[in-house]
Amino acid sequence: MPRTKPTLKLGVYGSFDINPEQAVTSFFESKQQDELYFKKPLWDVPREGLQHEAIENEREFLEMSSQQEIFKRKAAIQKKINERRIEDMHHTQEKLREKFIDTNSFLKECSNKLERTDGEIAKELAKQKIYKEEIEVFEKDKKKLAAFELKFKEVVKDFEIYVDVFSEVIENSDYESFDDLTMNIDSLLSTQIEISEREQQLVKGIEHVRQTMIDSTAKAAQRIIELNDELAELESHYNQARTETLKWENTLATAKDFIAENEKQTITLVDSIQHLYHLLTTRNDEKVKLKKFDVGGQLDYIRDEIEILEDIIKRAHHKMEKEGQSMLGEGSNRFQNNVDKGSDLSD
């Protein structure tokens, strides 16, 4: 903090008596000069020693203590100020909260009122639109009625001349009044209407019969087309079946020829077997006991005879081998060949 009463005199050094502010300025100026400089006073020369450090530390401690006390007082004052500010802030917060709640409630109420108002406005606009449409319809009806009134007046004017005619008719006829005449006319008109309705019914009946005939004709034509399609399909199946039949007929003809050829061979073979059977029975002086078509029995008989002949030949060979002679000659070879053929047939 600035001094309110600064020291004006430092003492007399030589013949000079200088104020502190002027002395400091003169001191720094004298450092830059070679002449006219002040000699440093003894108290301005730093001294060394522990007592000086202790004094300096004590001075700093006192300064720090004084500053600490000052800061404590300031902190206490600031604490009170802050507490008061916090209380004011809480109070302000409560007020703002209440105002916010009131404002929010007011806004919600305004929003609800706005929604209700919009709904009522929409309803009123819809009603207004309906009323406008009805008014337009009424205006159109009014114009139509006005035009009809004009036309009706013209028609009345046109038919006024017939009033006298009807009066003369009533006077010269059996009708007592105009109402009787109109009733008779109404009956005639109703009869005409009934006749026209009956005519329309007859026309409708004729049209229905005509439509029925057209439908029946269309159905018959459709059925004929379907039958033609079925006939074409049957013809195609018939042609396929005929082709297949011709194919099988050719196959059967080939089979018949093959069967006939085999039958010829079979008959020839049966005749050969029967002939051999007759030869063997004749050689053995036996009667023919088996019939022609008993081929199995004949073959059994031929096989038995061939086995007997083979046994005889074997014995003859065995005997001739013992005697050192041979029975193989032209006749015996021919006989043996015939026997071999007979054995093949029996097999």
Side-chain angles (χ1 to χ4, degrees), residues 51-78:
Q51 63 274 15
H52 295 289
E53 292 181 1
I55 292 169
E56 186 177 358
N57 291 332
E58 186 177 0
R59 187 185 299 117
E60 290 178 358
F61 175 74
L62 291 174
E63 289 179 359
M64 293 297 294
S65 297
S66 62
Q67 289 180 2
Q68 187 176 7
E69 291 295 330
I70 292 168
F71 288 152
K72 284 182 179 180
R73 288 195 297 272
K74 289 182 178 180
I77 295 168
Q78 190 67 32

PDB file of all heavy atoms in Angstrom, residues 51-78:
ATOM      1  N   GLN A  51      22.276 -14.243  12.236  1.00  0.00           N
ATOM      2  CA  GLN A  51      21.319 -13.366  12.884  1.00  0.00           C
ATOM      3  C   GLN A  51      20.546 -12.545  11.873  1.00  0.00           C
ATOM      4  O   GLN A  51      19.356 -12.266  12.044  1.00  0.00           O
ATOM      5  CB  GLN A  51      22.016 -12.452  13.902  1.00  0.00           C
ATOM      6  CG  GLN A  51      23.036 -11.487  13.312  1.00  0.00           C
ATOM      7  CD  GLN A  51      24.412 -12.137  13.165  1.00  0.00           C
ATOM      8  OE1 GLN A  51      24.495 -13.367  13.253  1.00  0.00           O
ATOM      9  NE2 GLN A  51      25.455 -11.356  12.964  1.00  0.00           N
ATOM     10  N   HIS A  52      21.283 -12.161  10.787  1.00  0.00           N
ATOM     11  CA  HIS A  52      20.574 -11.403   9.741  1.00  0.00           C
ATOM     12  C   HIS A  52      19.514 -12.277   9.055  1.00  0.00           C
ATOM     13  O   HIS A  52      18.405 -11.810   8.771  1.00  0.00           O
ATOM     14  CB  HIS A  52      21.586 -10.879   8.717  1.00  0.00           C
ATOM     15  CG  HIS A  52      22.547  -9.889   9.288  1.00  0.00           C
ATOM     16  ND1 HIS A  52      22.184  -8.611   9.664  1.00  0.00           N
ATOM     17  CD2 HIS A  52      23.878  -9.989   9.576  1.00  0.00           C
ATOM     18  CE1 HIS A  52      23.241  -7.962  10.150  1.00  0.00           C
ATOM     19  NE2 HIS A  52      24.295  -8.785  10.107  1.00  0.00           N
ATOM     20  N   GLU A  53      19.839 -13.560   8.787  1.00  0.00           N
ATOM     21  CA  GLU A  53      18.850 -14.463   8.178  1.00  0.00           C
ATOM     22  C   GLU A  53      17.679 -14.699   9.116  1.00  0.00           C
ATOM     23  O   GLU A  53      16.513 -14.754   8.689  1.00  0.00           O
ATOM     24  CB  GLU A  53      19.509 -15.794   7.820  1.00  0.00           C
ATOM     25  CG  GLU A  53      20.521 -15.679   6.688  1.00  0.00           C
ATOM     26  CD  GLU A  53      21.128 -17.017   6.348  1.00  0.00           C
ATOM     27  OE1 GLU A  53      20.732 -18.022   6.991  1.00  0.00           O
ATOM     28  OE2 GLU A  53      21.969 -17.085   5.421  1.00  0.00           O
ATOM     29  N   ALA A  54      17.990 -14.820  10.446  1.00  0.00           N
ATOM     30  CA  ALA A  54      16.908 -15.015  11.414  1.00  0.00           C
ATOM     31  C   ALA A  54      16.006 -13.802  11.456  1.00  0.00           C
ATOM     32  O   ALA A  54      14.769 -13.913  11.500  1.00  0.00           O
ATOM     33  CB  ALA A  54      17.492 -15.302  12.794  1.00  0.00           C
ATOM     34  N   ILE A  55      16.656 -12.620  11.444  1.00  0.00           N
ATOM     35  CA  ILE A  55      15.853 -11.396  11.451  1.00  0.00           C
ATOM     36  C   ILE A  55      14.994 -11.318  10.201  1.00  0.00           C
ATOM     37  O   ILE A  55      13.800 -10.977  10.241  1.00  0.00           O
ATOM     38  CB  ILE A  55      16.776 -10.174  11.571  1.00  0.00           C
ATOM     39  CG1 ILE A  55      17.431 -10.143  12.961  1.00  0.00           C
ATOM     40  CG2 ILE A  55      16.003  -8.883  11.332  1.00  0.00           C
ATOM     41  CD1 ILE A  55      18.563  -9.131  13.090  1.00  0.00           C
ATOM     42  N   GLU A  56      15.628 -11.674   9.059  1.00  0.00           N
ATOM     43  CA  GLU A  56      14.871 -11.627   7.799  1.00  0.00           C
ATOM     44  C   GLU A  56      13.728 -12.630   7.809  1.00  0.00           C
ATOM     45  O   GLU A  56      12.596 -12.323   7.401  1.00  0.00           O
ATOM     46  CB  GLU A  56      15.823 -11.916   6.638  1.00  0.00           C
ATOM     47  CG  GLU A  56      15.161 -11.741   5.283  1.00  0.00           C
ATOM     48  CD  GLU A  56      16.144 -11.958   4.162  1.00  0.00           C
ATOM     49  OE1 GLU A  56      17.339 -12.199   4.429  1.00  0.00           O
ATOM     50  OE2 GLU A  56      15.703 -11.901   2.986  1.00  0.00           O
ATOM     51  N   ASN A  57      14.000 -13.845   8.325  1.00  0.00           N
ATOM     52  CA  ASN A  57      12.933 -14.856   8.399  1.00  0.00           C
ATOM     53  C   ASN A  57      11.822 -14.423   9.348  1.00  0.00           C
ATOM     54  O   ASN A  57      10.628 -14.636   9.078  1.00  0.00           O
ATOM     55  CB  ASN A  57      13.509 -16.190   8.855  1.00  0.00           C
ATOM     56  CG  ASN A  57      14.410 -16.815   7.798  1.00  0.00           C
ATOM     57  OD1 ASN A  57      14.220 -16.565   6.609  1.00  0.00           O
ATOM     58  ND2 ASN A  57      15.396 -17.587   8.226  1.00  0.00           N
ATOM     59  N   GLU A  58      12.222 -13.840  10.477  1.00  0.00           N
ATOM     60  CA  GLU A  58      11.213 -13.377  11.427  1.00  0.00           C
ATOM     61  C   GLU A  58      10.369 -12.279  10.817  1.00  0.00           C
ATOM     62  O   GLU A  58       9.142 -12.235  10.987  1.00  0.00           O
ATOM     63  CB  GLU A  58      11.910 -12.884  12.695  1.00  0.00           C
ATOM     64  CG  GLU A  58      10.918 -12.516  13.813  1.00  0.00           C
ATOM     65  CD  GLU A  58      11.648 -12.105  15.088  1.00  0.00           C
ATOM     66  OE1 GLU A  58      12.896 -12.106  15.081  1.00  0.00           O
ATOM     67  OE2 GLU A  58      10.953 -11.805  16.064  1.00  0.00           O
ATOM     68  N   ARG A  59      11.087 -11.375  10.078  1.00  0.00           N
ATOM     69  CA  ARG A  59      10.333 -10.317   9.409  1.00  0.00           C
ATOM     70  C   ARG A  59       9.333 -10.907   8.411  1.00  0.00           C
ATOM     71  O   ARG A  59       8.171 -10.499   8.345  1.00  0.00           O
ATOM     72  CB  ARG A  59      11.317  -9.383   8.705  1.00  0.00           C
ATOM     73  CG  ARG A  59      10.628  -8.145   8.114  1.00  0.00           C
ATOM     74  CD  ARG A  59      11.598  -7.296   7.316  1.00  0.00           C
ATOM     75  NE  ARG A  59      12.669  -6.814   8.153  1.00  0.00           N
ATOM     76  CZ  ARG A  59      13.950  -7.107   7.996  1.00  0.00           C
ATOM     77  NH1 ARG A  59      14.323  -7.911   7.005  1.00  0.00           N
ATOM     78  NH2 ARG A  59      14.881  -6.611   8.806  1.00  0.00           N
ATOM     79  N   GLU A  60       9.805 -11.895   7.614  1.00  0.00           N
ATOM     80  CA  GLU A  60       8.900 -12.527   6.637  1.00  0.00           C
ATOM     81  C   GLU A  60       7.766 -13.254   7.340  1.00  0.00           C
ATOM     82  O   GLU A  60       6.618 -13.226   6.882  1.00  0.00           O
ATOM     83  CB  GLU A  60       9.697 -13.498   5.767  1.00  0.00           C
ATOM     84  CG  GLU A  60      10.655 -12.806   4.813  1.00  0.00           C
ATOM     85  CD  GLU A  60      11.458 -13.808   4.001  1.00  0.00           C
ATOM     86  OE1 GLU A  60      11.281 -15.039   4.235  1.00  0.00           O
ATOM     87  OE2 GLU A  60      12.231 -13.386   3.124  1.00  0.00           O
ATOM     88  N   PHE A  61       8.092 -13.915   8.485  1.00  0.00           N
ATOM     89  CA  PHE A  61       7.051 -14.627   9.233  1.00  0.00           C
ATOM     90  C   PHE A  61       5.993 -13.670   9.743  1.00  0.00           C
ATOM     91  O   PHE A  61       4.783 -13.945   9.673  1.00  0.00           O
ATOM     92  CB  PHE A  61       7.700 -15.398  10.383  1.00  0.00           C
ATOM     93  CG  PHE A  61       6.711 -16.067  11.281  1.00  0.00           C
ATOM     94  CD1 PHE A  61       6.022 -17.215  10.866  1.00  0.00           C
ATOM     95  CD2 PHE A  61       6.435 -15.547  12.549  1.00  0.00           C
ATOM     96  CE1 PHE A  61       5.106 -17.809  11.707  1.00  0.00           C
ATOM     97  CE2 PHE A  61       5.512 -16.159  13.375  1.00  0.00           C
ATOM     98  CZ  PHE A  61       4.839 -17.298  12.954  1.00  0.00           C
ATOM     99  N   LEU A  62       6.480 -12.510  10.275  1.00  0.00           N
ATOM    100  CA  LEU A  62       5.529 -11.524  10.776  1.00  0.00           C
ATOM    101  C   LEU A  62       4.644 -10.995   9.639  1.00  0.00           C
ATOM    102  O   LEU A  62       3.434 -10.809   9.802  1.00  0.00           O
ATOM    103  CB  LEU A  62       6.282 -10.384  11.460  1.00  0.00           C
ATOM    104  CG  LEU A  62       6.985 -10.749  12.782  1.00  0.00           C
ATOM    105  CD1 LEU A  62       7.832  -9.570  13.284  1.00  0.00           C
ATOM    106  CD2 LEU A  62       5.969 -11.152  13.852  1.00  0.00           C
ATOM    107  N   GLU A  63       5.322 -10.753   8.506  1.00  0.00           N
ATOM    108  CA  GLU A  63       4.535 -10.277   7.361  1.00  0.00           C
ATOM    109  C   GLU A  63       3.510 -11.324   6.918  1.00  0.00           C
ATOM    110  O   GLU A  63       2.351 -11.004   6.652  1.00  0.00           O
ATOM    111  CB  GLU A  63       5.480  -9.937   6.205  1.00  0.00           C
ATOM    112  CG  GLU A  63       6.306  -8.690   6.455  1.00  0.00           C
ATOM    113  CD  GLU A  63       7.253  -8.393   5.310  1.00  0.00           C
ATOM    114  OE1 GLU A  63       7.260  -9.204   4.338  1.00  0.00           O
ATOM    115  OE2 GLU A  63       7.960  -7.383   5.359  1.00  0.00           O
ATOM    116  N   MET A  64       3.963 -12.597   6.852  1.00  0.00           N
ATOM    117  CA  MET A  64       3.048 -13.654   6.448  1.00  0.00           C
ATOM    118  C   MET A  64       1.924 -13.834   7.455  1.00  0.00           C
ATOM    119  O   MET A  64       0.764 -14.074   7.091  1.00  0.00           O
ATOM    120  CB  MET A  64       3.814 -14.970   6.277  1.00  0.00           C
ATOM    121  CG  MET A  64       4.800 -14.959   5.120  1.00  0.00           C
ATOM    122  SD  MET A  64       3.979 -14.740   3.528  1.00  0.00           S
ATOM    123  CE  MET A  64       3.063 -16.251   3.442  1.00  0.00           C
ATOM    124  N   SER A  65       2.269 -13.724   8.764  1.00  0.00           N
ATOM    125  CA  SER A  65       1.227 -13.861   9.793  1.00  0.00           C
ATOM    126  C   SER A  65       0.211 -12.747   9.675  1.00  0.00           C
ATOM    127  O   SER A  65      -1.010 -12.972   9.775  1.00  0.00           O
ATOM    128  CB  SER A  65       1.874 -13.850  11.185  1.00  0.00           C
ATOM    129  OG  SER A  65       2.741 -14.948  11.342  1.00  0.00           O
ATOM    130  N   SER A  66       0.749 -11.510   9.473  1.00  0.00           N
ATOM    131  CA  SER A  66      -0.180 -10.387   9.333  1.00  0.00           C
ATOM    132  C   SER A  66      -1.054 -10.564   8.086  1.00  0.00           C
ATOM    133  O   SER A  66      -2.270 -10.342   8.115  1.00  0.00           O
ATOM    134  CB  SER A  66       0.600  -9.080   9.263  1.00  0.00           C
ATOM    135  OG  SER A  66       1.456  -9.082   8.120  1.00  0.00           O
ATOM    136  N   GLN A  67      -0.422 -11.008   6.994  1.00  0.00           N
ATOM    137  CA  GLN A  67      -1.215 -11.249   5.782  1.00  0.00           C
ATOM    138  C   GLN A  67      -2.227 -12.375   5.994  1.00  0.00           C
ATOM    139  O   GLN A  67      -3.361 -12.315   5.515  1.00  0.00           O
ATOM    140  CB  GLN A  67      -0.280 -11.593   4.619  1.00  0.00           C
ATOM    141  CG  GLN A  67       0.540 -10.402   4.132  1.00  0.00           C
ATOM    142  CD  GLN A  67       1.448 -10.774   2.976  1.00  0.00           C
ATOM    143  OE1 GLN A  67       1.418 -11.915   2.525  1.00  0.00           O
ATOM    144  NE2 GLN A  67       2.251  -9.816   2.524  1.00  0.00           N
ATOM    145  N   GLN A  68      -1.815 -13.421   6.756  1.00  0.00           N
ATOM    146  CA  GLN A  68      -2.728 -14.535   7.028  1.00  0.00           C
ATOM    147  C   GLN A  68      -3.928 -14.064   7.831  1.00  0.00           C
ATOM    148  O   GLN A  68      -5.074 -14.458   7.558  1.00  0.00           O
ATOM    149  CB  GLN A  68      -1.975 -15.637   7.772  1.00  0.00           C
ATOM    150  CG  GLN A  68      -2.794 -16.911   7.965  1.00  0.00           C
ATOM    151  CD  GLN A  68      -1.973 -18.006   8.629  1.00  0.00           C
ATOM    152  OE1 GLN A  68      -0.833 -17.750   9.063  1.00  0.00           O
ATOM    153  NE2 GLN A  68      -2.551 -19.188   8.715  1.00  0.00           N
ATOM    154  N   GLU A  69      -3.662 -13.222   8.846  1.00  0.00           N
ATOM    155  CA  GLU A  69      -4.769 -12.691   9.629  1.00  0.00           C
ATOM    156  C   GLU A  69      -5.696 -11.858   8.757  1.00  0.00           C
ATOM    157  O   GLU A  69      -6.929 -11.943   8.851  1.00  0.00           O
ATOM    158  CB  GLU A  69      -4.223 -11.838  10.788  1.00  0.00           C
ATOM    159  CG  GLU A  69      -3.514 -12.629  11.868  1.00  0.00           C
ATOM    160  CD  GLU A  69      -4.467 -13.565  12.582  1.00  0.00           C
ATOM    161  OE1 GLU A  69      -5.678 -13.236  12.680  1.00  0.00           O
ATOM    162  OE2 GLU A  69      -4.020 -14.643  13.031  1.00  0.00           O
ATOM    163  N   ILE A  70      -5.031 -11.061   7.895  1.00  0.00           N
ATOM    164  CA  ILE A  70      -5.853 -10.243   6.987  1.00  0.00           C
ATOM    165  C   ILE A  70      -6.716 -11.145   6.093  1.00  0.00           C
ATOM    166  O   ILE A  70      -7.913 -10.921   5.897  1.00  0.00           O
ATOM    167  CB  ILE A  70      -4.945  -9.331   6.148  1.00  0.00           C
ATOM    168  CG1 ILE A  70      -4.296  -8.271   7.054  1.00  0.00           C
ATOM    169  CG2 ILE A  70      -5.743  -8.655   5.043  1.00  0.00           C
ATOM    170  CD1 ILE A  70      -3.172  -7.499   6.386  1.00  0.00           C
ATOM    171  N   PHE A  71      -6.059 -12.206   5.538  1.00  0.00           N
ATOM    172  CA  PHE A  71      -6.800 -13.121   4.657  1.00  0.00           C
ATOM    173  C   PHE A  71      -7.902 -13.846   5.411  1.00  0.00           C
ATOM    174  O   PHE A  71      -8.988 -14.087   4.865  1.00  0.00           O
ATOM    175  CB  PHE A  71      -5.837 -14.127   4.032  1.00  0.00           C
ATOM    176  CG  PHE A  71      -4.930 -13.537   2.993  1.00  0.00           C
ATOM    177  CD1 PHE A  71      -3.674 -14.085   2.745  1.00  0.00           C
ATOM    178  CD2 PHE A  71      -5.310 -12.406   2.276  1.00  0.00           C
ATOM    179  CE1 PHE A  71      -2.835 -13.535   1.799  1.00  0.00           C
ATOM    180  CE2 PHE A  71      -4.466 -11.858   1.330  1.00  0.00           C
ATOM    181  CZ  PHE A  71      -3.223 -12.426   1.088  1.00  0.00           C
ATOM    182  N   LYS A  72      -7.639 -14.208   6.699  1.00  0.00           N
ATOM    183  CA  LYS A  72      -8.672 -14.878   7.495  1.00  0.00           C
ATOM    184  C   LYS A  72      -9.864 -13.969   7.699  1.00  0.00           C
ATOM    185  O   LYS A  72     -11.021 -14.388   7.579  1.00  0.00           O
ATOM    186  CB  LYS A  72      -8.100 -15.304   8.846  1.00  0.00           C
ATOM    187  CG  LYS A  72      -7.217 -16.536   8.778  1.00  0.00           C
ATOM    188  CD  LYS A  72      -6.732 -16.928  10.167  1.00  0.00           C
ATOM    189  CE  LYS A  72      -5.856 -18.184  10.117  1.00  0.00           C
ATOM    190  NZ  LYS A  72      -5.375 -18.575  11.463  1.00  0.00           N
ATOM    191  N   ARG A  73      -9.555 -12.695   8.049  1.00  0.00           N
ATOM    192  CA  ARG A  73     -10.664 -11.760   8.234  1.00  0.00           C
ATOM    193  C   ARG A  73     -11.441 -11.569   6.931  1.00  0.00           C
ATOM    194  O   ARG A  73     -12.679 -11.574   6.914  1.00  0.00           O
ATOM    195  CB  ARG A  73     -10.116 -10.416   8.741  1.00  0.00           C
ATOM    196  CG  ARG A  73      -9.632 -10.458  10.185  1.00  0.00           C
ATOM    197  CD  ARG A  73      -9.463  -9.047  10.729  1.00  0.00           C
ATOM    198  NE  ARG A  73      -8.436  -8.314  10.001  1.00  0.00           N
ATOM    199  CZ  ARG A  73      -7.142  -8.329  10.308  1.00  0.00           C
ATOM    200  NH1 ARG A  73      -6.707  -9.057  11.329  1.00  0.00           N
ATOM    201  NH2 ARG A  73      -6.277  -7.621   9.617  1.00  0.00           N
ATOM    202  N   LYS A  74     -10.658 -11.431   5.838  1.00  0.00           N
ATOM    203  CA  LYS A  74     -11.330 -11.293   4.546  1.00  0.00           C
ATOM    204  C   LYS A  74     -12.141 -12.544   4.205  1.00  0.00           C
ATOM    205  O   LYS A  74     -13.259 -12.458   3.674  1.00  0.00           O
ATOM    206  CB  LYS A  74     -10.305 -11.029   3.453  1.00  0.00           C
ATOM    207  CG  LYS A  74      -9.689  -9.641   3.517  1.00  0.00           C
ATOM    208  CD  LYS A  74      -8.720  -9.448   2.360  1.00  0.00           C
ATOM    209  CE  LYS A  74      -8.117  -8.045   2.384  1.00  0.00           C
ATOM    210  NZ  LYS A  74      -7.172  -7.846   1.262  1.00  0.00           N
ATOM    211  N   ALA A  75     -11.556 -13.747   4.511  1.00  0.00           N
ATOM    212  CA  ALA A  75     -12.269 -14.998   4.216  1.00  0.00           C
ATOM    213  C   ALA A  75     -13.547 -15.109   5.036  1.00  0.00           C
ATOM    214  O   ALA A  75     -14.586 -15.560   4.540  1.00  0.00           O
ATOM    215  CB  ALA A  75     -11.353 -16.192   4.494  1.00  0.00           C
ATOM    216  N   ALA A  76     -13.463 -14.700   6.337  1.00  0.00           N
ATOM    217  CA  ALA A  76     -14.673 -14.750   7.171  1.00  0.00           C
ATOM    218  C   ALA A  76     -15.737 -13.817   6.619  1.00  0.00           C
ATOM    219  O   ALA A  76     -16.924 -14.162   6.533  1.00  0.00           O
ATOM    220  CB  ALA A  76     -14.313 -14.381   8.611  1.00  0.00           C
ATOM    221  N   ILE A  77     -15.259 -12.600   6.251  1.00  0.00           N
ATOM    222  CA  ILE A  77     -16.216 -11.646   5.684  1.00  0.00           C
ATOM    223  C   ILE A  77     -16.805 -12.191   4.378  1.00  0.00           C
ATOM    224  O   ILE A  77     -18.019 -12.136   4.133  1.00  0.00           O
ATOM    225  CB  ILE A  77     -15.524 -10.292   5.463  1.00  0.00           C
ATOM    226  CG1 ILE A  77     -15.119  -9.678   6.819  1.00  0.00           C
ATOM    227  CG2 ILE A  77     -16.442  -9.338   4.707  1.00  0.00           C
ATOM    228  CD1 ILE A  77     -14.185  -8.485   6.701  1.00  0.00           C
ATOM    229  N   GLN A  78     -15.895 -12.763   3.521  1.00  0.00           N
ATOM    230  CA  GLN A  78     -16.362 -13.308   2.236  1.00  0.00           C
ATOM    231  C   GLN A  78     -17.288 -14.495   2.452  1.00  0.00           C
ATOM    232  O   GLN A  78     -18.250 -14.699   1.696  1.00  0.00           O
ATOM    233  CB  GLN A  78     -15.145 -13.727   1.391  1.00  0.00           C
ATOM    234  CG  GLN A  78     -15.500 -14.070  -0.037  1.00  0.00           C
ATOM    235  CD  GLN A  78     -15.973 -12.859  -0.802  1.00  0.00           C
ATOM    236  OE1 GLN A  78     -15.523 -11.732  -0.552  1.00  0.00           O
ATOM    237  NE2 GLN A  78     -16.917 -13.069  -1.717  1.00  0.00           N
TER     238      GLN A  78
END
